Amino acid sequence: MEFEKETVAMKEARRRERQSGNACSVHNSPALENPETDIGICGWLLVGFSVLLMMVTLPISIWMCIKIVKEYERAIIFRLGRILRGGAKGPGLFFILPCTDSFINVDMRTITFDIPPQEVLTKDSVTVSVDGVVYYRVQNATLAVANITNADAATRLLAQTTLRNVLGTKNLAEILSDREEIAHSMQSTLDDATDDWGIKVERVEIKDVKLPLQLQRAMAAEAEASREARAKVIAAEGEMNASRALKEASLVIAESPSALQLRYLQTLNTIAAEKNSTIIFPLPLEMMHAFMKH
């Protein structure tokens, strides 16, 4: 348990280092810190013309310059193709220049998607169909826009391949019994792979494991045979215990002949309580010998 805690702590430390490194690489980039110094003379002219155009067309242009992003969104602003200093903007109002600025809205809420059923060959050569569900959210909007074309599609494809890779190292019994461990392994792998995209994988769950029909029948027959074997063993143990108890009872009755008479009367009482019309009286064999002599 201590080793697992240390491993988790080390992973978190490496993750924080990567995140800090990514943040430094994004915020310390010359294009982000001083975007105006890299746009060149032509860029300066275009920005100046855009500001002049905005001033001339006031107050109409104000509706094109002021934008609003919602609480769960962030806006990445591009000026002449370069991300502006400060990274993502929002929530609330922000200002852009017409003609030279453009922006992309990024949803920061948790996104859920289903992993399509994957036909997987397990370690013990059994074909199973497994599907799951993944919960993730965009943690760094700038990385999600600048480092990958489509973060959502890439995460979906990566989840499918990760599911196949993880299940390929497990046998059928482990897949059926260790779903939680498989989900944690997938989450750790996806989280490490999507870290450079600014995505945080929050949860992975295995939904269903479908077995071939023939395998289901074979497993059902095996389970039924196992139950029948256990039932026979239990019945045999009961017979053995009953025979031992009868042996001990016979020894007690042999020591006291009156105990047999008391047992006989108790049996008659039990039969009478059930309101039976037929009562069997045992006859000693000594009496039969006397009649046979006559």
Side-chain angles (χ1 to χ4, degrees), residues 81-283:
R82 297 179 179 274
I83 298 178
L84 284 183
R85 178 176 52 191
K89 305 294 182 181
L93 293 171
F94 65 94
F95 180 82
I96 64 172
L97 292 177
C99 303
T100 60
D101 291 357
S102 62
F103 68 95
I104 298 176
N105 281 342
V106 180
D107 196 335
M108 305 296 289
R109 293 176 294 181
T110 298
I111 300 173
T112 306
F113 66 87
D114 292 328
I115 302 176
Q118 303 293 311
E119 294 288 339
V120 182
L121 184 64
T122 62
K123 190 176 181 180
D124 51 353
S125 301
V126 178
T127 302
V128 295
S129 178
V130 184
D131 58 355
V133 60
V134 177
Y135 302 83
Y136 78 93
R137 62 182 176 85
V138 177
Q139 192 173 27
N140 190 319
T142 305
L143 294 180
V145 172
N147 287 3
I148 191 167
T149 305
N150 191 332
D152 181 71
T155 304
R156 291 173 184 267
L157 293 176
L158 184 61
Q160 297 179 23
T161 56
T162 303
L163 177 62
R164 298 176 67 91
N165 293 336
V166 171
L167 295 182
T169 61
K170 306 288 185 179
N171 54 40
L172 181 60
E174 292 175 345
I175 293 176
L176 295 176
S177 61
D178 298 337
R179 293 191 180 187
E180 186 175 355
E181 180 182 353
I182 295 173
H184 284 306
S185 177
M186 284 188 59
Q187 179 183 354
S188 177
T189 304
L190 286 173
D191 203 16
D192 292 339
T194 58
D195 195 18
D196 294 334
W197 305 341
I199 291 177
K200 168 66 177 176
V201 178
E202 296 179 338
R203 190 177 183 87
V204 177
E205 292 293 341
I206 302 298
K207 292 175 60 179
D208 191 16
V209 179
K210 296 181 180 180
L211 304 177
L213 184 59
Q214 295 180 352
L215 182 59
Q216 293 181 15
R217 293 175 179 174
M219 294 179 66
E222 181 183 2
E224 184 177 359
S226 178
R227 287 194 296 269
E228 290 180 355
R230 287 197 299 269
K232 290 181 180 179
V233 170
I234 293 172
E237 290 178 353
E239 292 292 337
M240 182 177 62
N241 294 333
S243 62
R244 289 177 180 176
L246 289 175
K247 178 182 178 182
E248 294 177 359
S250 64
L251 294 177
V252 173
I253 293 174
E255 294 177 357
S256 177
S258 60
L260 180 61
Q261 186 66 21
L262 292 174
R263 180 60 181 165
Y264 169 66
L265 294 176
Q266 184 180 4
T267 303
L268 290 180
N269 187 23
T270 303
I271 295 175
E274 295 179 358
K275 298 180 181 181
N276 292 329
S277 59
T278 303
I279 298 177
I280 300 175
F281 292 93
L283 270 178

Side-chain angles (χ1 to χ4, degrees), residues 54 61-67 94-98:
M54 180 189 66
S61 61
I62 197 67
W63 302 107
M64 301 177 59
C65 298
I66 295 179
K67 302 296 181 180
F94 65 94
F95 180 82
I96 64 172
L97 292 177

